[in-house]
Amino acid sequence: MKITVLGNCGPYPRAGGACSGYLFEYEDIKILLDCGNGTLSRLFQIVKDINDLDMILLSHLHSDHLSDIMVLRYAIALSKDVSSIPLYAPASPQEIFNQIQYENAFLMRPIEENRQFSYKGLTIRFEKMDHAVDSYGICIQNGNKKFVYSGDTKYCDALIELAKDADLLLCESAVLERDKTPSTPHLSAKEAAEIGKICNVKQLLLTHFLPKYDRQEIFSEAKEAFDENLILCEEMKTYSV
């Protein structure tokens, strides 16, 4: 298993950067996790043939996680030799879910809480998180390895349960602790690190960085709670699970 970071910013990109998007690969399987603005051209650097993309999983329907889907659908629809691609996403907000489809580019699959399915030796599981809209954490396992992506969420028991003993936890860390309020719908770097520690994850890969922050400050805050195998992910870099 490996994960390539196509974009790691939110809710808007830094100069030259992109918002949330990740390519998960296992053997010949390719799964796109989120598709925020700026990620599609980077995806095409790796996936030359759209038919090689097995499926798309959208954690939630905020623009910084899905806006390039609205462009990818044109590429699929205009390529007569490309089949419709399975796309799993929350059905809410319904108006956004309904807008995604275009010329049968996708096989739309609403995510339901605790949904789980198997695909070519992988087990893919969704758990509902705590965010401003319906948002799901994603777990992908092959029996030996466990990869978990938090999506966007507050600190919640569901993420702790999902991430337990993960080989790699890709976790949002959208704010610093000093800026967090009770209504903030995201994890701080400190909270993400605490979850990594509680869950006994082998690697903690932080993402969803607010461009105004100094990355070293994010790292330092997280390092206080999780001091081994802590990584601030870099765009267009691949990490092994």
Side-chain angles (χ1 to χ4, degrees):
M1 289 183 180
K2 61 182 181 179
I3 188 85
T4 300
V5 178
L6 306 174
N8 63 9
C9 295
Y12 61 91
R14 62 179 174 81
C19 285
S20 293
Y22 315 91
L23 179 65
F24 173 92
E25 296 178 87
Y26 172 65
E27 296 180 346
D28 63 341
I29 300 170
K30 292 179 173 59
I31 301 173
L32 178 61
L33 306 177
D34 287 345
C35 191
N37 49 302
T39 60
L40 185 56
S41 63
R42 292 176 171 179
L43 175 68
F44 286 158
Q45 294 178 42
I46 304 169
V47 180
K48 309 297 184 181
D49 186 338
I50 302 176
N51 274 317
D52 290 338
L53 197 59
D54 290 76
M55 70 181 75
I56 300 164
L57 310 179
L58 299 182
S59 63
H60 66 293
L61 302 183
H62 274 159
S63 295
D64 56 330
H65 291 255
L66 69 77
S67 62
D68 271 14
I69 282 292
M70 301 304 192
V71 181
L72 175 56
R73 62 186 186 168
Y74 297 145
I76 298 169
L78 293 172
S79 301
K80 295 182 179 179
D81 59 340
V82 176
S83 302
S84 300
I85 297 176
L87 187 152
Y88 293 80
S92 175
Q94 185 175 0
E95 63 274 17
I96 298 176
F97 182 84
N98 292 341
Q99 287 170 8
I100 291 173
Q101 185 64 282
Y102 175 77
E103 297 289 337
N104 296 315
F106 305 113
L107 298 173
M108 300 297 292
R109 302 285 187 260
I111 296 173
E112 300 170 359
E113 190 169 359
N114 301 320
R115 179 165 185 162
Q116 179 174 307
F117 65 95
S118 298
Y119 181 78
K120 294 185 177 180
L122 295 176
T123 299
I124 300 173
R125 174 184 166 200
F126 303 98
E127 286 286 351
K128 194 172 185 179
M129 300 289 107
D130 185 354
H131 193 48
V133 297
D134 285 354
S135 183
Y136 288 83
I138 300 167
C139 176
I140 305 178
Q141 293 179 265
N142 70 351
N144 298 315
K145 295 289 185 178
K146 179 178 180 178
F147 165 77
V148 175
Y149 170 44
S150 69
D152 283 6
T153 185
K154 291 183 177 182
Y155 195 106
C156 63
D157 291 340
L159 178 55
I160 292 173
E161 178 62 29
L162 189 67
K164 189 179 298 182
D165 297 321
D167 292 280
L168 191 152
L169 170 60
L170 176 64
C171 192
E172 74 122 297
S173 55
V175 298
L176 291 173
E177 192 67 22
R178 66 167 185 257
D179 295 326
K180 189 172 176 63
T181 70
S183 62
T184 302
H186 291 281
L187 295 169
S188 67
K190 177 184 177 183
E191 288 175 319
E194 289 173 346
I195 289 170
K197 188 72 171 180
I198 291 170
C199 294
N200 192 37
V201 305
K202 294 181 176 63
Q203 294 183 78
L204 178 60
L205 191 60
L206 297 185
T207 189
H208 203 286
F209 305 126
L210 185 61
K212 73 175 185 178
Y213 287 139
D214 184 300
R215 301 284 172 96
Q216 184 56 49
E217 193 170 3
I218 298 171
F219 183 82
S220 296
E221 180 175 294
K223 191 74 171 175
E224 293 180 8
F226 192 93
D227 56 4
E228 294 183 9
N229 295 321
L230 171 67
I231 304 169
L232 268 61
C233 75
E234 298 179 30
E235 294 177 338
M236 294 307 289
K237 186 167 182 178
T238 299
Y239 301 88
S240 297
V241 179

